């Protein structure tokens, strides 16, 4: 009569069906916004705490993931309990992987019972968890009779869930490209890994209809997140959301598997393959997560959150006091009643007004019309129609949807789960060639009669206490009152970037010869060390139009040839670069460079550069320039942001004015590589900050408090950079070559000088996912040709 043991579990009810090329959960074709998760702790390795599991799953919810694949083994029971509680679908995977014996174990009789045993123990243990919607037979273990046995046992024991296995869509032998017409394919879901966008389009519109395929297409792995990666996430999801039968997938993978270390100076870094003295390793190939080892989200997480957001907005402004606004519920089973929406009106990037937006109950997979009266009032109050008619302003309307973090198992603070930006206008066609913002800055204090002095012997220009001196094809721009610290110097062409892992894993030497990885080619061309040769420097003049009144101002024109110098720089310990030792060391002519520098009466400088690169150059990392400036402490910019973004990972980046502390280190990624880029730069202001401004320095860019550029620059000292056309930009304390030479973040020691590198690019190569999967799409690559970049330099506060 005594109780000797007790066990309890929470259960749930739901239906899972596969019909007409769809996975139906409770009758709905739910898209799986999934991620693969390995157990990992930066301090405990494979021994993870409940707190770390909790952090993982709540982060997934906050960033709109709705599914997790337990790659490649069943997880701690706590994970399933928590997934039941907070609402995450789970694909539970058997602990079977034999990559090194891919075709053998799956066919070997002696392994049949051990494989079956692992599948049985997983299913019996986890069968009562409603979060588990499917079972996986393992990963990269070939495909043979042993898998068929596992499949049949599971389907006999538990017919309520689907069973998947990626290997069943490979050829009979070898891990060769996927085949989708195998008649002996024991999988309820077509679940390939790393298909290209073209491949999934072909399957959806050609292959599946031809085969009368009834199973859905759910990628077990895609968008390999190694280092600065996850390019084209929005391109994938644009196709998935439109094509019948495509139902999502699981990103590879969740967390960078690095081990926390400290050097002799107390600086933290993360160890990976090869850091423990082992001879056989894959370097940093397990540093491939959406979050860092300390569970800090990488910028790609923000991009994914946007792709998977549960709320969308449809907006149309008809003018004359009329607009149409609808809110769209992308959820499958619940309303949006738990969500708060706020709108913000931006004028030239600055937020001028923001308010909460009331909206009616919106049923799942439905939309509803919203009363936009408060928005109309704001548009009228700020005279937006007139600003648009004048053609001098950019107007954006932002939407942000948030939810209480407690409902996601996180903090009590609100968490943004959706955002959108509507462009009401871009700048109209300007009557003059003045860049944005018109008149306000460049015309400020411009005395048309003020003399600009040109010195032919020294090739220098002077006006209003500022001077430009031409040196070795570059120039030094400085204030006469403080000649010890040039405002701008060392301007030069920049065609290299510190390779991302997708460009080529720099610590894997064999990737130098991999034609799908461009990094080896970049080093062969000497893009990491370019020089200007055959210089021709002459005095000239240029007409500048201030408010419709064109005037001639003196300028200096520099023409030169651009040469790459392979092996000029040494990268000790970087295996890929060391493969260059046997290659040619002669300089490579890359193209031509023409630079015209013009100074106007108030000391501002107009720089116009043309890069004419040889047409034979293919798949370049970037086309742009770099210069140095004193480390000002703060960077404020009007660009797409606030977070890091690239041409193929900018869906989540919204145009606005943001500021960030200038970084003294580069620690976004475990392995130092290209980072920190922003697209769509309208202007950049680098300015000195007080000691109080530096208290509690943040690594993340934030919204500025000012409401106009005039208020922003008031009482500050710095340099304003105004491109004539939209460009991309990066700022750093390190050169690309220095970043490329570093294996760990603690290798990058800030220099003793105060130089700060500013990079302006006409274009930079997209990111892609080429470390394990498709390379950067052609539309995001850069080839030889003629490129032009022009910008103003305006000193502020030097009076």
């Amino acid at each position: 009569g005594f109780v000797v043991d007790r066990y309890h579990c929470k259960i749930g009810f739901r239906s899972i069906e596969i019909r007409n090329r769809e996975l139906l959960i409770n009758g709905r074709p739910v898209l799986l916004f999934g991620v693969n998760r390995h157990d990992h702790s930066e301090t405990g390795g494979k021994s993870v705490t409940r707190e770390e599991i909790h952090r993982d799953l709540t982060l997934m919810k906050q960033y709109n993931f709705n599914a997790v694949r337990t790659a490649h083994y069943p997880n701690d029971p706590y994970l399933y309990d928590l997934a039941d509680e907070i609402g995450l679908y789970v694909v539970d995977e058997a602990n079977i992987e034999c990559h090194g014996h891919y075709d053998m174990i799956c066919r070997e009789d002696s392994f049949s019972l051990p494989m079956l045993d692992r599948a049985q123990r997983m299913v019996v243990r986890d069968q009562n968890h409603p979060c588990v919607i499917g079972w996986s037979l393992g990963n990269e273990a070939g495909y043979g009779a042993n898998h068929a046995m596992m499949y049949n046992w599971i389907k006999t024991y538990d017919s309520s869930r689907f069973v998947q296995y990626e290997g069943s869509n490979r050829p009979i032998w070898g891990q060769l490209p996927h085949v989708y017409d195998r008649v002996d394919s024991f999988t309820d879901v077509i679940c390939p890994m790393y298909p290209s966008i073209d491949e999934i389009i072909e399957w959806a519109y050609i292959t599946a209809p031809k085969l009368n395929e009834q199973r859905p297409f759910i990628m077990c792995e895609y968008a390999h997140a190694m280092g600065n990666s996850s390019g084209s996430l929005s391109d994938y999801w644009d196709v998935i959301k439109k094509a019948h039968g495509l139902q999502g997938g699981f990103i590879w993978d969740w967390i960078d598997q690095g081990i926390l270390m400290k050097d002799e100076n107390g600086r933290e870094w993360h160890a990976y393959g090869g850091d423990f003295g082992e001879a056989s390793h894959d370097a940093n190939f397990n540093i491939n997560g959406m979050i860092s080892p300390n569970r800090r989200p990488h910028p790609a997480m923000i991009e994914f959150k946007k792709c998977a957001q549960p709320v969308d907005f449809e907006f149309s402004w008809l003018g004359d006091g009329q607009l149409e606004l609808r809110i769209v519920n992308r959820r499958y089973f619940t309303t949006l009643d738990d969500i708060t929406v706020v709108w913000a009106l931006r004028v030239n990037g600055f937020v001028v007004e923001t308010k909460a937006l009331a909206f009616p109950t919106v049923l799942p997979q439905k939309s509803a019309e919203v009363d936009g009266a408060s928005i109309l009032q704001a548009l009228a109050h700020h005279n937006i129609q007139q600003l648009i008619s004048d053609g001098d302003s950019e107007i954006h309307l932002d939407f942000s949807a948030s939810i209480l973090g407690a409902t996601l198992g996180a903090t009590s603070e609100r968490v943004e789960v959706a955002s959108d930006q509507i462009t009401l206008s871009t700048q109209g066609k300007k009557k003059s060639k003045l860049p944005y913002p018109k008149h306000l800055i460049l015309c400020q204090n411009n005395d048309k009669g003020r003399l600009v002095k040109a010195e032919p012997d020294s090739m220098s220009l002077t006006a209003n206490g500022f001077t430009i001196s031409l040196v070795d094809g570059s120039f030094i721009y400085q204030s006469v009152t403080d000649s010890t610290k040039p405002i701008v110097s060392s301007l030069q062409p920049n065609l290299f970037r510190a390779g991302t892992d997708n460009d080529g894993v720099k610590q894997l030497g064999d990737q130098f010869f991999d034609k799908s990885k461009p990094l080896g080619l970049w080093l062969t061309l000497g893009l990491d060390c370019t020089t200007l040769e055959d210089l021709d420097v002459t005095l000239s003049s240029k007409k500048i139009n201030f408010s419709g009144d064109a005037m001639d101002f003196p300028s200096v024109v520099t023409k030169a040839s651009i040469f790459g110098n392979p092996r000029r720089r040494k990268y000790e310990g970087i295996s890929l670069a060391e493969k260059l030792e046997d290659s040619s060391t002669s300089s490579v002519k890359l193209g031509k460079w023409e630079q015209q520098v013009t100074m106007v009466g108030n000391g501002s400088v107009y720089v116009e550069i043309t890069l004419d690169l040889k047409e034979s150059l293919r798949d370049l990392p970037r086309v742009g320039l770099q210069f140095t400036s004193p480390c000002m402490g703060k960077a404020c910019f009007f660009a797409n942001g606030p977070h890091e973004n690239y041409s193929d990972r900018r869906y989540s980046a919204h145009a606005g004015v943001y500021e960030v502390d200038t970084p003294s280190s580069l620690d976004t990624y475990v392995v130092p590589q290209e980072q920190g880029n922003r697209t769509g730069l309208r202007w950049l202001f680098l300015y000195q900050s007080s000691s109080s401004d530096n208290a509690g320095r943040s690594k993340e860019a934030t919204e500025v408090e000012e409401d106009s550029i005039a208020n922003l620059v008031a009482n500050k000292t710095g340099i304003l950079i105004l491109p004539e056309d939209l460009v991309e930009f990066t700022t750093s304390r390190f050169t690309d070559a220095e970043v490329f030479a570093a294996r760990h973040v603690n290798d990058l020691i800030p220099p003793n000088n105060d130089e700060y590198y500013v990079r302006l690019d006409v274009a930079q190569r997209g990111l892609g996912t080429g470390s394990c999967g498709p390379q950067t799409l052609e539309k995001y690559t850069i080839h030889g040709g003629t490129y032009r970049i022009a910008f103003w330099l305006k000193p502020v506060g030097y009076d």
Side-chain angles (χ1 to χ4, degrees), residues 15 17 22 35 100 113 229 318-319 341 357 369 388 394 401 404-405 452 465 572 582 611 640 683:
S15 67
E17 305 171 78
E22 290 180 325
V35 65
L113 290 181
S229 184
L318 307 177
V341 174
L357 180 69
E369 188 172 352
I388 293 175
E394 286 191 67
L404 281 175
V452 180
E572 184 177 351
D582 298 327
L611 297 96
N640 298 330
W683 52 259

Side-chain angles (χ1 to χ4, degrees), residues 459-480:
M459 290 295 176
S460 63
L461 305 173
T462 303
N464 195 31
F466 298 94
T467 184
I468 281 268
S469 302
L470 274 292
V471 179
D472 296 331
S474 181
F475 61 78
I476 297 175
Y477 180 37
Q478 57 193 10
S479 168
V480 175

Side-chain angles (χ1 to χ4, degrees), residues 575-699:
S575 300
L576 188 147
E578 289 174 345
K579 294 294 182 181
L580 192 61
E581 294 294 330
D582 298 327
S583 302
S584 172
T585 60
S586 59
S587 296
V588 180
K589 187 172 182 179
L590 303 172
K592 297 178 180 179
W593 165 274
E594 182 171 335
Q595 166 190 287
Q596 185 170 14
V597 181
T598 307
M599 179 173 273
V600 299
N602 63 3
S604 297
V605 172
Y606 179 66
V607 182
E608 185 177 12
I609 293 170
T610 300
L611 297 96
D612 187 7
L613 303 177
K614 296 173 69 172
E615 295 284 349
S616 59
L617 297 175
R618 313 301 294 172
D619 202 2
L620 298 169
R622 69 190 334 144
V623 175
L625 57 91
Q626 173 182 282
F627 59 82
T628 60
S629 185
C631 189
M632 296 289 189
K634 290 277 190 180
C636 184
F637 54 90
F638 182 12
N640 298 330
H643 51 277
E644 167 192 282
N645 57 90
Y646 293 81
S647 59
D648 62 351
R649 204 186 70 203
R650 61 181 177 185
Y651 180 51
S652 58
H654 299 324
V657 178
Y658 310 102
E659 69 177 356
V660 67
D661 294 312
T662 56
S664 59
S665 63
L666 292 180
D667 59 359
T668 301
Y669 303 102
V670 169
V671 178
Q673 57 196 274
E674 160 61 37
Q675 59 190 273
N677 189 68
R678 269 91 176 183
T679 61
L681 177 67
R682 282 76 163 174
W683 52 259
L684 170 65
F685 181 42
L686 304 174
Y687 66 96
Q688 296 174 0
S689 57
S690 64
S691 57
S692 60
D693 289 335
N694 290 328
R697 289 168 69 91
S698 171
K699 297 178 181 179

Side-chain angles (χ1 to χ4, degrees), residues 25-61:
I25 301 177
N26 292 337
R28 298 288 180 91
V30 177
L31 291 177
L32 294 188
F33 297 100
V35 65
N36 288 275
R37 179 189 174 275
H38 266 299
D39 281 333
H40 182 72
S41 167
E42 67 173 347
T43 55
K46 286 297 178 185
S47 177
V48 294
T49 65
R50 283 195 167 198
E51 290 75 20
E52 288 169 326
I53 294 173
H54 186 275
R55 175 64 172 159
D56 285 345
L57 268 61
T58 54
L59 268 178
M60 290 176 192
K61 290 291 288 187

Side-chain angles (χ1 to χ4, degrees), residues 214-234:
Q214 296 300 300
R215 296 170 295 179
F217 189 104
I218 301 172
M219 297 172 285
C220 71
E221 297 175 20
Y222 80 108
H224 198 256
M226 186 174 178
N228 191 358
S229 184
S230 303
S232 286
L233 268 178
S234 61

Side-chain angles (χ1 to χ4, degrees), residues 96-107 115 137-144 146-147 165-167 175:
I96 298 171
E97 177 165 358
C98 53
H99 212 157
H101 301 278
Y102 187 81
D103 287 316
M104 185 189 78
I105 292 177
C106 60
R107 295 173 169 85
M115 290 175 68
L137 302 182
N139 182 72
E140 294 184 301
Y143 180 64
N146 293 344
H147 288 106
Y165 183 60
E166 182 265 344
Q175 199 174 10

Side-chain angles (χ1 to χ4, degrees), residues 172-447:
I172 295 176
W173 294 93
Q175 199 174 10
L176 300 173
H178 296 101
V179 292
Y180 298 112
D181 58 355
R182 286 189 65 169
V183 295
D184 62 341
S185 177
F186 284 88
T187 180
D188 299 325
V189 174
I190 305 297
C191 53
M193 56 174 61
Y194 309 112
S196 67
I197 293 175
D198 286 343
E199 184 177 340
I200 69 174
I201 290 173
E202 181 179 4
W203 184 90
Y205 293 105
I206 299 175
T207 303
K210 178 181 177 181
L211 298 174
N212 193 27
E213 181 62 75
Q214 296 300 300
R215 296 170 295 179
F217 189 104
I218 301 172
M219 297 172 285
C220 71
E221 297 175 20
Y222 80 108
H224 198 256
M226 186 174 178
N228 191 358
S229 184
S230 303
S232 286
L233 268 178
S234 61
D235 295 307
Y236 269 101
W237 281 100
D238 184 56
V239 172
I240 292 168
K241 291 176 181 179
K242 293 176 181 177
H244 176 71
L246 301 182
Q247 219 162 327
F250 297 82
I251 286 177
W252 188 268
D253 65 1
W254 176 244
I255 187 169
D256 290 338
Q257 297 170 63
I259 301 298
L260 181 63
M261 310 288 277
K262 283 189 178 181
D263 65 17
E264 62 276 10
N265 297 310
R267 292 173 300 194
E268 292 186 348
W269 57 284
H270 288 93
Y272 47 78
D275 287 331
F276 301 95
E278 70 275 31
S280 179
H281 59 83
D282 282 331
N284 58 307
F285 216 80
N286 277 348
I287 306 296
N288 52 12
M290 296 288 281
I291 63 174
S292 65
N294 62 9
R295 288 174 163 77
R296 186 177 69 190
H298 289 317
M301 286 276 278
I302 306 172
E303 186 81 351
F304 179 83
K305 180 171 70 172
K306 171 66 175 171
C307 293
Q309 65 185 27
V311 185
D312 280 328
F313 301 90
E314 297 174 352
F315 181 88
S316 176
W317 185 27
L318 307 177
D320 298 325
Q322 298 183 64
L323 63 78
E324 294 179 358
L325 175 61
R326 300 189 69 84
I327 186 169
V328 183
N329 183 359
R330 300 298 183 190
R331 291 172 168 174
Y332 293 92
F333 305 109
T334 59
T335 69
L336 300 177
D337 290 351
D338 59 332
I339 280 180
T340 297
V341 174
V342 174
W343 60 261
L345 179 63
R346 292 183 184 272
V347 176
N348 296 328
F350 294 93
V351 174
V352 297
E353 188 169 341
T354 182
K355 284 185 179 179
L357 180 69
F359 59 92
T361 294
V362 190
L363 297 177
Q365 295 288 293
K366 302 293 183 181
S367 66
E369 188 172 352
V370 179
D371 184 357
S374 62
I375 299 175
L376 277 174
Q377 292 171 4
L379 295 175
H381 176 72
H382 296 282
N383 203 21
I384 299 302
Q385 187 68 65
Q386 185 60 50
L387 290 176
I388 293 175
S389 298
D390 291 343
D392 290 332
S393 302
E394 286 191 67
I395 313 297
H396 296 96
L397 183 64
D398 292 1
F399 293 96
S400 173
S402 62
I403 189 172
L404 281 175
T407 64
L408 305 175
T411 66
S412 58
E413 298 179 357
R414 301 200 71 84
V415 175
E416 184 182 74
V417 294
S419 66
D420 211 346
Q421 182 172 76
I422 311 298
T423 301
L424 300 185
S425 77
T426 55
Q427 284 182 274
K429 185 177 181 181
K430 297 184 285 289
K431 296 179 181 179
S432 71
K433 290 296 291 182
L434 276 178
Y436 182 93
K438 189 176 181 180
H439 304 305
L440 181 60
I441 295 300
L442 295 175
C443 294
Q444 191 178 56
N445 304 322
N446 189 55
D447 181 354

